[in-house]
Amino acid sequence: MKANIAEKVLADDIEKVLLSSEDIKRRVAELGRQISEDYKDKDVVLVGILRGAFVFLADLIREISIPVETDFIAISSYGSSSTTSGVVRILKDLDEDIEGRDVLIIEDILDTGLTLKYLVKNLSSRRPASLEICSFIVKECKQSVAISLKYLGYTVPNRFVVGYGLDYAQRYRNLPFVGTLKPYVYERDEI
Ligand code: PRP
């Protein structure tokens, strides 16, 4: 009962559901199948970008049918809570050496592209055999740098979106769908 109330309170802050949990499940299964096919003879490491990508990665690996390893890197961007500066600090580095491995970066959202630009440069310097990106979401018309994605779940409008790992002020990550936030939620924090 308690869980239902909590979910209702969170969902009440949502203006519009953009991606339902059923849509997401279908798309993630497609991505998993595609990755399994493309990487079947490779030595693949999935690198999840904390914190946002943990939900997507957790579902995605269960749709992948080939042996894979997972590792995580936690980063923090300098700048305000709503914009990325591109200057990134590594809070937790990878545990494994990726030299000679086929690395697939798993990201929840590509917004300006500055975070991924930094990560690609950083991880490339460790000499992986290959380095590609799978992003669950890309925001429409927002990238200030060109980022090439091997896999993409969805393109969404340039709005504040939450759920399925995406947060506002660290909340809403646990919503099973992706939606836009009602403006009053962030406007009340601006006062
Ligand atoms: C989000 C997201 C990406 C980054 C994308 O992370 O997870 O890593 O922003 O933005 P960009 O394309 O403009 O660089 P955030 O800093 O919100 O941290 P989180 O993963 O902990 O939610």
Side-chain angles (χ1 to χ4, degrees):
M1 218 38 189
K2 237 181 175 174
N4 290 344
I5 292 166
E7 190 170 308
K8 184 174 181 329
V9 169
L10 278 178
D12 279 350
D13 292 342
I14 301 302
E15 187 175 61
K16 188 173 173 207
V17 174
L18 299 179
L19 310 172
S20 71
S21 58
E22 293 78 19
D23 289 341
I24 293 171
K25 197 168 170 16
R26 249 193 322 269
R27 186 72 188 115
V28 171
E30 283 170 7
L31 289 170
R33 272 196 299 275
Q34 192 61 56
I35 292 168
S36 307
E37 179 60 30
D38 295 348
Y39 283 88
K40 62 176 180 266
D41 302 315
K42 309 268 187 185
D43 178 20
V44 59
V45 187
L46 304 177
V47 170
I49 314 303
L50 297 173
R51 294 176 226 180
F54 80 99
V55 177
F56 176 43
L57 179 57
D59 282 349
L60 184 65
I61 50 169
R62 284 174 287 177
E63 300 292 348
I64 294 178
S65 54
I66 55 167
V68 291
E69 291 182 23
T70 52
D71 205 344
F72 293 91
I73 188 165
I75 53 173
S76 162
S77 165
Y78 291 101
S80 74
S81 56
S82 56
T83 56
T84 326
S85 64
V87 184
V88 171
R89 185 162 54 112
I90 295 181
L91 303 176
K92 179 220 163 288
D93 205 345
L94 298 177
D95 291 326
E96 306 297 330
D97 185 358
I98 56 168
E99 184 170 350
R101 315 283 311 271
D102 292 294
V103 175
L104 182 58
I105 297 174
I106 309 295
E107 182 58 295
D108 55 342
I109 189 164
L110 171 60
D111 193 342
T112 64
L114 291 170
T115 304
L116 277 171
K117 184 182 174 216
Y118 169 86
L119 273 169
V120 166
K121 191 168 172 223
N122 182 296
L123 298 182
S124 295
S125 71
R126 306 180 196 199
R127 299 189 295 174
S130 67
L131 181 64
E132 301 285 357
I133 303 167
C134 171
S135 185
F136 175 58
I137 280 177
V138 165
K139 265 199 192 169
E140 223 164 47
C141 309
K142 190 74 194 296
Q143 289 75 61
S144 55
V145 288
I147 299 287
S148 156
L149 299 176
K150 188 170 171 84
Y151 306 99
L152 168 63
Y154 294 96
T155 301
V156 299
N158 185 15
R159 298 284 316 280
F160 208 106
V161 289
V162 294
Y164 201 68
L166 297 160
D167 75 308
Y168 172 69
Q170 299 306 331
R171 290 196 173 178
Y172 307 96
R173 294 192 201 270
N174 54 324
L175 287 173
F177 53 82
V178 171
T180 52
L181 207 51
K182 287 180 184 161
Y184 82 86
V185 178
Y186 45 87
E187 281 166 9
R188 77 185 166 203
D189 291 343
E190 285 165 2
I191 298 166

